[in-house]
Amino acid sequence: MAIDNKVRVRFAPSPTGQLHIGNVRTALFNWLFARQKGGAFILRIEDTDVERSEARYETQLLEDLTWLGLDWDEGPDVGGPYPPYRQSDKMAEYQAYGDRLLKENKAYYCFCTAEELESDRQKALAEQRQPVYSGKCRTLDADEVARRRAAGEAPAIRLKTPEHPIRFHDIVRGNVEFPHEVIGDQIIIRSSGMPIYNYVVVIDDADMKISHVIRGDDHISNTPKQVAVYEQLGLPVPEFAHLSTILGPDRERLSKRHGATSVANFREMGVLPEALMNYLALLGWAPTGGDRELFPKDELIKEFSLERVTPSPAVFDTEKLNWLNRHYIKQSPPEKIREMGKGFLQQAGLLPPTLDASVVAWADKLIDLLAPYVDRLDQLPEKAGIIFKHDPRAALAVPENAEAFAGDKGKAVVEAFAQRASVSPLTPEQFKAAMNEVKTEAGVKGKDLFHPVRIALIGSHSGPDFDRLIPLIEEGSALKLPVHVKSVRERAQDFLAALGSK
RNA sequence: GGCGCUAUCGUCUAGGGGUUAGGACGUGAGAUUCUCAAUCUUAAAACCCGGGUUCGAUUCCCGGUAGCGCUACCA
């Protein structure tokens, strides 16, 4: 139960790699809960694994959370009333609690070697028993302990697990109970003096007055071990909420081989933070009624509830994320999308590293034109191919394009069009007039008229409206860009040449 | 092996002792457009299996099965 009435939750990642999508979802649920209840969202860095922890990952962690739109009230960078917020800075305290447990006879020294322990475990496994610690060192007398320590043997410290079923309440799963026999007396401090995770979290959560522990369900089997620590330490047990796992399409735990799995990946792909947040919120949670999908941040905070979190694992669905992202691209202020879009086009080498005013104006128009066609902003450079790439031969190699030129009509249309498109730049009005003339001259209309021209200009019979396309092409052709944009005239001529030589 | 968690359309999910089992993504069809995207309309698509309780179970209980997790001097 909560220490006082104030909701205090924490997100406690290890800085051992990129922030994984499953972890961000955990962070998000913690954050939503805190914001809704007017509580505190605390960031704590779990870096007791010195070997794997790296400072740069910690920095990136903070950046990724910020990018998503999550802010924290206490943390290693901003401080707070219960420091330190980095486990590596608390070693002395973990040690002190260990001494206390020893003194109160709630923990004991264990001299068993790794080999002994391993063979015990193998034996248990072979006999189809639960492999738990035998409790061998539990009854060692004080003299022997003193003698062996004096002789230089380095013992680990084990917690005496209370001898009754261990139960706890989980908001998403109800009451959970484990027999104490399956837990055994766990090591809380290694012989090296380094404390163990299941012990450290308890102290940290208690120190920081955490009221609700919201985390992944891979911790559910750890929870009774932690509850045992709370009990022996005489500390109040918080409320728990274990979130289900996020799976890949093959129903296996989402991992790198499924593609993008880190927040950084999604950011680089041009997924908007709003879209990712909205999507993640819907993975394992649904609003009352379950019939609403679009949730901006504020609505999410208003509607979210831990009671409505689903206990079953969820498959990550990129298609739905794409759909949401498309939605948020269209919702966003155009300036924002233009700004981001230019970055992607520069990265692809389609725009120069520094942009002058005329290029900016043109690029903005280009992005306005293409953005409705993409799921993610990183698809912009490819879509921009209709402007930057003009390859008549490749276009004609596409079967459905070739079809449009199977008879003579298609060619006649393009020829008639080329004659009239010789002015540069061609205005949309002139284009329209030209098309009307072509229509009468070639005696075709509708698709037969538009398809050949579109194929000649952008290599496909489908694409954006000519009204917007023509000015973009013409203006682009007048700019100095890393990749030359051919004018309408150039395109028509080149295409005709390719058609003729076929 | 033991222990634990989970189980509704392909996917995310709503629902709950009697329902035409609802919504969304995706898919199919149609409308619109020169075309594509978008948009709108529409269709197909689900209660894991077996027992029990009950007048009646997809819903409650038990078992099975499957998936996942934990089973460390990792976190």
Side-chain angles (χ1 to χ4, degrees), chain A residues 45 119 122 151 159 169 209 250 271 300 314-315 352 386 410 446 459 494:
Chain A
I45 303 297
S119 79
Q122 291 308 330
L159 184 80
H169 183 255
K209 308 225 184 308
D250 53 3
V271 170
L300 231 30
V315 173
I386 61 170
D494 289 357

Side-chain angles (χ1 to χ4, degrees), chain A residues 35-55:
Chain A
R35 290 295 168 262
Q36 186 192 71
K37 302 287 182 194
F41 177 59
I42 296 148
L43 186 61
R44 181 173 78 219
I45 303 297
E46 305 212 323
D47 58 352
T48 45
D49 188 344
V50 193
E51 313 252 304
R52 291 192 293 155
S53 297
E54 286 183 42

